[in-house]
Amino acid sequence: MRSLRHLSHYLLQHSVRIVISVVIATSLYSCKSNSSSGGNSGGETAPVTQASCGANDTPETGVQGDIPREDQDSGRSLLGYNCGLSPVYQFEVAGAVQGYDHCVYIRPATGFNPVQQNETTPIDVYDVSNPTAPIFIKTLLTAAASGLGGTSETLRVAPTTNNPDVPPLLASGSSLYDISDCANPIHKGDIAWPASLPWPVGLSHDIRISHAGNRVSASLGIVTADITDLDNPESWAPKNWSCAVAGQFATIHAILEAGPLGLCEIVSSLGLGLPEDTAPQLAHGPDHNGNGTRLYAGNQGIPADVGDASGFLDAGGSFEDVGDTTIRILDLTTEPPTVLDQADGPGHAVDWFRSADGREYILHSNEFVFVQQASCAPHPRPNSLGWAFEAFITEVTDDTLIRRSMLELDINKPEFCQEKLASGQGTSIAYHSVDDHFNAKLAMINFGDGILPSPNPLSGAGLRVFDIRNPSEPEEVAYFNRGSLEHAGASYYDHDAGLLYMPDASGVRILELQPQIVSYMGLPQPSDPKYPRYPNGRAATPAE
């Protein structure tokens, strides 16, 4: 375990060059965990201190990630908390958000609905060349919004920076757009995702464009569409590999796949109206490697009687009320895709990234917290749905899964259980993202999802930003908390502008990553001549 004096020392040594006012504290503390490929092993995590905060920020007053009861009673909590991130602008609309170049894309939310939150709404395009006064440009009417195509929980952008032959792409549900001219996306076509899975809305429950821009994959099964011929949507016919993949490891599927009819074909022949290749659930939020030859499919541990239509189709091959909490590496160069490795681990959200030394990792977590007292449970904890207290970094170099670290807030640790119960905090994770998949330095984790079924608007720890340059020893460097975040939203960081787009449930926010964080992290210096707008930071709720 290392003591995080790095940022404080850095700021002291470079304060003249940074030319900002900061409050220097004695140390930062580590967000480090054990290396384990099993359950949720415990780790050491402590808060960023005022060493990384701007002088005008409003840092947390208690345990990392907590909203103390004293702050709630006094009204202090209504002002929010921030460190290293300055508020620039808040849209009136909430929803999923992504960005590219000088544009922001927002798919408005329709209200909290775990089954279909904002998946069928159109996409609004804004010009944020001046982030203090964004300009609405147009609305993209997706196939889902027209009632003609599949949905997806998240909105996704793939910059395709490693493949100059493919334009940057935007995807929502079935619809795919070329965003080379970010203000004028070109609709390239719609992917004909399979009709449906029994739960909840279809095989395109969530989607991911490969970072090479050569395919799109969808869940809840294993479904892939080859989009290499981007100008010919007719060639994008998706292939549903769910049963063929399950047949490689799930006992019931494996036995029957060896015979004349697999389990999925048998279920289809029962005349119950279930489509062929119905279930099992194998993934939720998949991601690909850099060239699109690998798929990282993470499952949620849905109980067998909930995860599919008939219970015994669960990928674990069990009649018991248990579910599959497995991360798998699939080789997409074979048909069907080959399972190369698998390990226990949560998989509601999965983000692949490469570190500066060329090694490859995934950031992954589950979703929801159903019982606040669950954080009292010691590590290792279950990886299943409802245990979204922490995220994990697992190495996938050489097609082998090796758990490297855990990203956890103090308020979710068992030793701070009583503080959490006293304040009513419901901190849990939904989605996350990284700043650059091919040279990742920042992880942006949504810790603001609250507790189901009735999340407190003040509950949650907001957006937390971690330094992942050393994936085995991540550390928190910034945060912004003004209430709950959009469940289906992942944040986006624009290096050129130094801006972070955050899916706040009260309205999408534009935040500025402060100069001391940019410098300490070795991030590209923003090219926007107006950066930094707030060199000394800014309160989470500005007075002006």
Side-chain angles (χ1 to χ4, degrees):
M1 179 177 68
R2 60 176 181 168
S3 175
L4 293 185
R5 300 181 183 275
H6 308 83
L7 184 48
S8 299
H9 177 75
Y10 182 91
L11 294 176
L12 284 168
Q13 295 297 315
H14 297 77
S15 58
V16 174
R17 279 177 283 176
I18 296 176
V19 196
I20 58 172
S21 297
V22 293
V23 179
I24 302 299
T26 58
S27 65
L28 276 173
Y29 302 95
S30 176
C31 172
K32 180 191 173 186
S33 74
N34 299 338
S35 297
S36 169
S37 59
N40 299 8
S41 300
E44 296 290 338
T45 308
V48 290
T49 70
Q50 293 182 11
S52 59
C53 302
N56 296 327
D57 291 349
T58 45
E60 293 176 330
T61 60
V63 174
Q64 180 194 28
D66 192 17
I67 302 176
R69 178 61 61 185
E70 294 81 359
D71 285 7
Q72 298 177 46
D73 294 341
S74 68
R76 164 65 183 85
S77 61
L78 297 176
L79 299 178
Y81 308 89
N82 70 311
C83 179
L85 287 166
S86 302
V88 177
Y89 182 85
Q90 184 174 23
F91 292 86
E92 294 183 357
V93 61
V97 61
Q98 289 284 271
Y100 182 72
D101 198 7
H102 61 279
C103 298
V104 163
Y105 307 101
I106 300 176
R107 193 180 63 188
T110 55
F112 185 83
N113 182 336
V115 173
Q116 195 171 20
Q117 182 181 8
N118 56 3
E119 301 167 5
T120 60
T121 52
I123 302 169
D124 294 331
V125 183
Y126 294 86
D127 182 340
V128 291
S129 299
N130 178 3
T132 64
I135 299 173
F136 171 78
I137 301 173
K138 64 176 60 177
T139 295
L140 306 177
L141 191 62
T142 63
S146 305
L148 302 175
T151 64
S152 64
E153 188 166 56
T154 57
L155 178 68
R156 295 292 184 179
V157 159
T160 62
T161 51
N162 68 315
N163 191 350
D165 296 328
V166 178
L169 299 171
L170 168 71
S172 179
S174 297
S175 300
L176 194 63
Y177 297 87
D178 174 348
I179 54 173
S180 299
D181 177 357
C182 73
N184 296 287
I186 299 172
H187 181 219
K188 302 300 292 183
D190 300 304
I191 301 170
W193 297 118
S196 67
L197 267 185
W199 180 90
V201 291
L203 274 170
S204 58
H205 178 76
D206 200 15
I207 61 169
R208 201 64 179 266
I209 314 168
S210 71
H211 306 292
N214 56 355
R215 68 178 78 245
V216 182
S217 295
S219 64
L220 297 161
I222 302 295
V223 187
T224 62
D226 187 330
I227 59 169
T228 303
D229 189 353
L230 194 59
D231 294 321
N232 181 18
E234 296 297 322
S235 68
W236 300 352
K239 296 182 179 180
N240 185 354
W241 304 113
S242 303
C243 288
V245 169
Q248 297 176 47
F249 59 85
T251 304
I252 295 175
H253 285 274
I255 293 173
L256 294 177
E257 283 292 318
L261 289 177
L263 182 57
C264 294
E265 289 81 4
I266 292 173
V267 171
S268 179
S269 68
L270 296 178
L272 301 177
L274 300 176
E276 187 171 320
D277 266 11
T278 295
Q281 178 172 335
L282 297 175
H284 185 280
D287 200 7
H288 310 80
N289 68 343
N291 58 15
T293 61
R294 299 290 185 268
L295 182 70
Y296 305 101
N299 215 346
Q300 295 182 274
I302 302 296
D305 58 357
V306 176
D308 52 65
S310 49
F312 61 84
L313 296 182
D314 180 76
S318 172
F319 288 87
E320 299 177 8
D321 190 19
V322 296
D324 178 42
T325 56
T326 305
I327 295 285
R328 296 183 176 90
I329 303 177
L330 302 179
D331 182 354
L332 296 182
T333 67
T334 64
E335 292 192 357
T338 305
V339 178
L340 299 176
D341 195 20
Q342 60 184 35
D344 190 40
H348 168 262
V350 178
D351 290 297
W352 171 88
F353 67 91
R354 182 180 293 152
S355 59
D357 61 4
R359 304 194 72 79
E360 299 183 10
Y361 303 84
I362 56 173
L363 172 67
H364 57 109
S365 64
N366 218 314
E367 65 175 333
F368 298 141
V369 167
F370 300 130
V371 181
Q372 186 183 32
Q373 291 89 337
S375 69
C376 301
H379 295 289
R381 294 167 173 166
N383 287 310
S384 54
L385 188 72
W387 288 86
F389 291 114
E390 52 268 319
F392 300 90
I393 293 178
T394 296
E395 185 167 357
V396 295
T397 309
D398 300 325
D399 295 327
T400 301
L401 292 153
I402 304 174
R403 177 76 58 79
R404 291 304 185 194
S405 60
M406 178 170 67
L407 296 86
E408 183 184 31
L409 301 181
D410 280 354
I411 195 59
N412 284 337
K413 293 180 178 180
E415 56 263 40
F416 293 102
C417 170
Q418 295 308 312
E419 286 85 348
K420 184 166 188 172
L421 295 178
S423 65
Q425 257 297 52
T427 304
S428 67
I429 300 174
Y431 280 97
H432 36 64
S433 54
V434 298
D435 65 313
D436 180 352
H437 289 278
F438 292 94
N439 184 16
K441 297 182 178 181
L442 294 178
M444 298 161 280
I445 303 180
N446 172 354
F447 270 98
D449 209 36
I451 299 176
L452 284 181
S454 300
N456 178 348
L458 294 177
S459 180
L463 179 72
R464 319 298 292 208
V465 180
F466 290 81
D467 176 356
I468 57 170
R469 288 175 295 177
N470 179 356
S472 295
E473 295 188 347
E475 59 175 341
E476 187 184 47
V477 293
Y479 56 82
F480 189 94
N481 186 9
R482 282 287 284 112
S484 297
L485 301 186
E486 198 68 35
H487 177 79
S491 297
Y492 183 91
Y493 179 67
D494 181 346
H495 286 93
D496 291 336
L499 298 174
L500 190 155
Y501 309 127
M502 184 184 83
D504 193 306
S506 64
V508 170
R509 292 182 186 269
I510 300 178
L511 307 175
E512 181 176 83
L513 188 63
Q514 294 172 11
Q516 73 275 17
I517 308 299
V518 170
S519 186
Y520 169 69
M521 293 294 301
L523 294 167
Q525 182 65 26
S527 57
D528 185 341
K530 293 186 178 180
Y531 178 89
R533 289 172 173 78
Y534 306 102
N536 297 322
R538 194 185 193 201
T541 302
E544 67 276 13

